[in-house]
Amino acid sequence: MTAIRIFHASDLHFGEEDRDALDWFAALVRDEQPDAVVITGDITMHGSQRQFAAAEQWLSGLPAPLLLGIGNHDLPYYHHMIRRVLRPYARYEALARAVESEWKNDGVALVPLCTIAPAQWRLNWSKGVVSKLALAATIARLSQVQSAAMKLVMAHHPLVETGTRGTALTRGGDNALAALARAGVTAVLSGHVHDPFDLTYQSVAGPVRMIGAGTLSKRLRTTAPSFNELVIAQSLTVNVRDYLPHS
């Protein structure tokens, strides 16, 4: 397999974005020309029309095939409850239609898994949840790419806890990882916790790698703004690339 490079970023949080970090990332995309750019959610801070417009302007300038995932911050915020209930995904879906590019590769498949919901039976709706419908949709899409040598799933929340300061508390995550292992998934790409990680989870159906990207926003936790460079050849390697303006 010819080596494939994917830039995996997450948690841009337009509204609280780090413009210097975004400019750095965009310049690297222009200069290094990865095969694809993957953004695993929280593109905006409050899901507002203005924030989505700013995100669209920036994302449309990235000269690479682009695949997006939705994060909890990409839904209308809680004080827009009517829109959150009636049209929770409308602005995100409009953005995806405007900027996503078709990316085809016989060796690698990228399949989304939704880990958010407009409402949950708990107070903190920012945490992850994998519904039966969401998991079934992902498994169905994976069945269509069985010939791919490597199957990667894009989610916003880590499906189980990864030892970072931020937590996901994803309901249904253990079951999802077992189902993904049975479907032959190599790794789940995610974000949400704002710090990178790379570990292997031993599900009841076998191992699945979990790879998390940091943030390119001002909402830092324990690490600098960063993204993951994925290199896929016979195996998958991950290089965390930090934005260190004073280095």
Side-chain angles (χ1 to χ4, degrees), residues 40-41 68-75 84 88-89 92-93 111-120 122 125-139 141-142 152-159 170-173 176 180 188-190:
T40 50
L68 302 182
I70 188 169
N72 52 284
H73 279 271
D74 298 321
L75 299 186
R84 187 179 179 97
Y89 308 112
Y92 166 79
E93 289 171 348
V111 176
L113 171 64
C114 183
T115 60
I116 64 167
Q120 299 183 45
R122 54 177 162 178
W125 293 354
S126 73
K127 300 304 182 182
V129 57
V130 182
S131 70
K132 292 181 179 179
L133 285 175
L135 182 57
T138 297
I139 296 301
R141 293 188 65 167
L142 286 166
L152 305 177
V153 166
M154 303 159 43
H156 177 60
H157 296 84
L159 298 186
T170 301
R171 291 181 171 174
L180 297 179
V188 179
L189 313 181
S190 63

Side-chain angles (χ1 to χ4, degrees), residues 182-206:
R182 285 190 287 268
V185 170
T186 298
V188 179
L189 313 181
S190 63
H192 186 67
V193 294
H194 294 200
D195 290 314
F197 59 85
D198 182 3
L199 56 87
T200 298
Y201 177 78
Q202 296 292 336
S203 80
V204 295

Side-chain angles (χ1 to χ4, degrees), residues 28-197:
L28 289 175
V29 174
R30 288 192 299 270
D31 294 344
E32 301 186 14
Q33 300 182 349
D35 294 287
V37 171
V38 171
I39 312 288
T40 50
D42 277 3
I43 297 162
T44 68
M45 185 63 203
H46 297 119
S48 71
Q49 186 172 359
R50 177 178 295 181
Q51 291 168 3
F52 271 112
E56 180 178 342
Q57 182 179 30
W58 183 80
L59 289 166
S60 62
L62 296 178
L66 178 64
L67 294 90
L68 302 182
I70 188 169
N72 52 284
H73 279 271
D74 298 321
L75 299 186
Y77 225 53
Y78 304 117
H79 54 283
H80 295 294
M81 191 57 67
I82 292 176
R83 175 179 284 275
R84 187 179 179 97
V85 171
L86 297 180
R87 301 186 66 200
Y89 308 112
R91 286 175 177 161
Y92 166 79
E93 289 171 348
L95 173 69
R97 287 193 298 270
V99 303
E100 278 195 315
S101 311
E102 186 174 10
W103 185 71
K104 288 186 176 180
N105 186 284
D106 293 336
V108 178
L110 287 159
V111 176
L113 171 64
C114 183
T115 60
I116 64 167
Q120 299 183 45
W121 291 109
R122 54 177 162 178
L123 292 177
N124 192 340
W125 293 354
S126 73
K127 300 304 182 182
V129 57
V130 182
S131 70
K132 292 181 179 179
L133 285 175
L135 182 57
T138 297
I139 296 301
R141 293 188 65 167
L142 286 166
S143 70
Q144 298 170 2
V145 294
Q146 289 187 6
S147 62
M150 185 172 293
K151 302 179 186 70
L152 305 177
V153 166
M154 303 159 43
H156 177 60
H157 296 84
L159 298 186
V160 296
E161 297 309 297
T162 61
T164 55
R165 194 173 91 183
T167 60
L169 303 179
T170 301
R171 291 181 171 174
D174 292 305
N175 178 63
L177 282 165
L180 297 179
R182 285 190 287 268
V185 170
T186 298
V188 179
L189 313 181
S190 63
H192 186 67
V193 294
H194 294 200
D195 290 314
F197 59 85

